[in-house]
């Protein structure tokens, strides 16, 4: 199906919306907090990619590089229509446009969209990329509009994923690809903390999860200036949920291994980063049980 609204072809029909659940007051409040956080965050609007001055920023930069490497390995995606959900400052959109995609971006933060427009204009790509203010749970595009959909670091900010996953599937053309990134609750960095939380819930008779296969990040909730919600994922459960949406796993990897012992021992950061990247590369090629999915950040390609 053609993207009749965004691409300007044919009659301007309204896209269908899945009616999986009503938007609750909690949903609306969390979205308001997320929007406020990104509207005010110079770090996320540009600094995190342009300066990469800390370990987390360097991991975020590598996340982008790995996502495009995974895209390049797909045999039948070289051109076409691509959507970046949560496009932020436009770093993925710029790369998509340079690779020849007809790209669109959507973000809930007006501040992020302003920075994105500025970046694309400076790169001479402003006329080639379309931007929209919108919500992953109600994308302003027709069914089957895109050959490629990216949702990098987006789902974790939602209270639940059901409507968003249905929207990803709706706007994807048959045979198209989704590249999605979430945070791993069973990473080496979170292993003991996650096990302790889950064991405590078993012993107290509380539910095991905050949502299907997810665990709320207490650290982000307690340290965020806006009190926004963020969740970590059981990766195998997440892959099964994607499969129930009709999306089959094509490729996956995890990245970001803190190597805290080495850093605390004063090993130079250049050495620890080199070791971290080497470990990521090895585990991409050699699927060692558990370790292949032991990084903090997971990126999966689905079709």
């Amino acid at each position: 199906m053609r993207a009749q609204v965004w691409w300007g072809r044919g009659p301007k029909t309204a896209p269908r919306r899945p009616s999986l659940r009503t938007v609750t007051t909690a949903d609306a409040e969390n979205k308001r907090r997320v929007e406020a956080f990104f509207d005010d965050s110079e770090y996320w609007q540009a600094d995190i990619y342009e300066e990469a001055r800390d370990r987390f920023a360097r991991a975020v930069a590598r996340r982008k590089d790995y996502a495009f490497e995974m895209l390049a390995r797909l045999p039948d995606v070289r051109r076409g229509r691509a959507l970046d959900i949560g496009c932020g400052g436009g770093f993925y959109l710029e790369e998509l446009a340079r690779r020849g995609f007809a790209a669109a971006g959507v973000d809930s933060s007006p501040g992020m969209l302003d920075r994105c427009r500025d970046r694309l204009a400076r790169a001479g790509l402003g006329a080639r990329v379309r931007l929209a203010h919108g919500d992953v749970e109600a994308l302003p595009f027709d069914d089957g509009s895109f050959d490629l959909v990216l949702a990098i670091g987006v789902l974790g900010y939602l209270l639940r994923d059901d409507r968003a996953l249905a929207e990803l599937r709706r706007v994807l053309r048959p045979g198209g690809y989704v590249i999605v990134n979430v945070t791993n609750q069973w990473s080496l960095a979170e292993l003991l903390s996650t096990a302790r939380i889950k064991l405590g819930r078993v012993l107290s008779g509380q539910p095991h999860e905050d949502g299907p296969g997810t665990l709320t990040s207490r650290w982000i909730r307690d340290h965020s200036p806006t009190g926004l919600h963020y969740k970590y994922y059981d990766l195998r459960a997440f892959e099964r949920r994607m499969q129930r949406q009709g999306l089959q796993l094509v490729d996956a990897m995890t990245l970001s291994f803190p190597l805290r012992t080495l850093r605390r021992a004063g090993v130079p950061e250049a050495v620890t980063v080199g070791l971290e990247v080497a470990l990521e590369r090895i585990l991409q090629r050699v699927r060692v049980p558990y370790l292949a999915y032991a990084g903090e950040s997971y990126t999966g390609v689905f079709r």
Side-chain angles (χ1 to χ4, degrees):
M1 298 180 68
R2 292 179 177 176
Q4 295 169 331
V5 172
W6 183 70
W7 295 98
R9 300 180 179 182
K12 294 190 175 182
T13 58
R16 292 204 307 265
R17 298 279 177 254
S19 56
L20 298 179
R21 61 180 174 86
T22 58
V23 176
T24 66
T25 301
D27 291 318
E29 175 60 19
N30 190 63
K31 288 180 180 181
R32 185 196 65 76
R33 292 178 178 181
V34 171
E35 181 180 321
F37 172 77
F38 284 107
D39 273 345
D40 294 337
S41 177
E42 290 287 331
Y43 183 71
W44 275 106
Q45 289 177 16
D47 293 353
I48 193 168
Y49 285 99
E50 293 179 340
E51 297 184 21
R53 60 179 179 262
D54 56 54
R55 190 191 75 82
F56 179 71
R58 287 188 285 272
V60 168
R62 293 200 307 278
R63 178 178 71 177
K64 174 177 173 284
D65 293 340
Y66 288 136
F68 279 103
E69 288 177 11
M70 295 166 86
L71 173 60
R73 289 197 293 270
L74 300 176
D76 50 351
V77 181
R78 294 293 179 269
R79 297 290 187 274
R81 300 168 180 169
L83 172 65
D84 183 13
I85 300 171
C87 60
F91 295 89
Y92 285 78
L93 283 175
E94 181 181 359
E95 184 70 21
L96 287 168
R98 292 192 187 282
R99 292 182 181 225
F101 286 92
V106 61
D107 203 291
S108 65
S109 164
M112 280 292 204
L113 288 172
D114 287 343
R115 291 296 287 266
C116 184
R117 289 189 186 94
D118 290 344
R119 180 175 186 82
L120 294 171
R122 291 196 304 270
L125 299 170
R128 293 173 52 186
V129 179
R130 304 299 179 101
L131 298 177
H133 180 258
D135 183 344
V136 65
E137 295 188 309
L139 294 170
F141 306 105
D142 281 352
D143 298 1
S145 297
F146 297 98
D147 305 287
L148 174 68
V149 175
L150 277 66
I152 306 296
V154 173
L155 296 178
Y157 292 100
L158 302 173
L159 296 186
R160 296 180 66 86
D161 301 326
D162 47 4
R163 190 180 180 97
L165 293 181
E167 281 286 83
L168 293 183
R169 184 69 183 87
R170 181 184 67 79
V171 301
L172 189 69
R173 72 160 175 81
Y177 291 91
V178 171
I179 301 180
V180 63
N181 173 269
V182 297
T183 302
N184 179 14
Q185 68 177 240
W186 289 110
S187 69
L188 283 171
E190 295 293 331
L191 184 61
L192 293 179
S193 175
T194 297
R196 185 170 60 249
I197 290 170
K198 289 182 178 281
L199 178 60
R201 291 183 175 185
V202 169
L203 295 177
S204 65
Q206 296 178 358
H208 289 204
E209 299 169 327
D210 301 322
T214 65
L215 186 67
T216 300
S217 168
R218 270 58 178 174
W219 190 93
I220 291 179
R221 183 193 64 191
D222 294 341
H223 291 80
S224 166
T226 58
L228 56 81
H229 168 91
Y230 192 80
K231 59 187 185 294
Y232 298 161
Y233 288 76
D234 181 313
L235 300 183
R236 298 301 185 186
F238 178 73
E239 289 176 349
R240 290 193 294 270
R241 292 186 67 202
M242 294 293 280
Q243 185 172 15
R244 288 195 292 273
Q245 288 289 337
L247 295 166
Q248 303 301 313
L249 182 66
V250 175
D251 193 8
M253 69 168 294
T254 62
L255 65 128
S256 185
F257 296 85
L259 303 180
R260 288 172 180 158
T261 301
L262 296 181
R263 287 186 164 94
R264 288 168 182 163
V267 175
E269 186 65 11
V271 175
T272 56
V273 170
L275 291 172
E276 195 173 0
V277 171
L279 185 58
E280 291 165 355
R281 293 292 188 185
I282 291 169
L283 293 174
Q284 267 189 298
R285 297 190 298 270
V286 182
R287 298 293 181 171
V288 179
Y290 175 66
L291 288 179
Y293 273 18
E296 294 175 297
S297 179
Y298 164 93
T299 301
V301 181
F302 298 84
R303 186 178 194 183

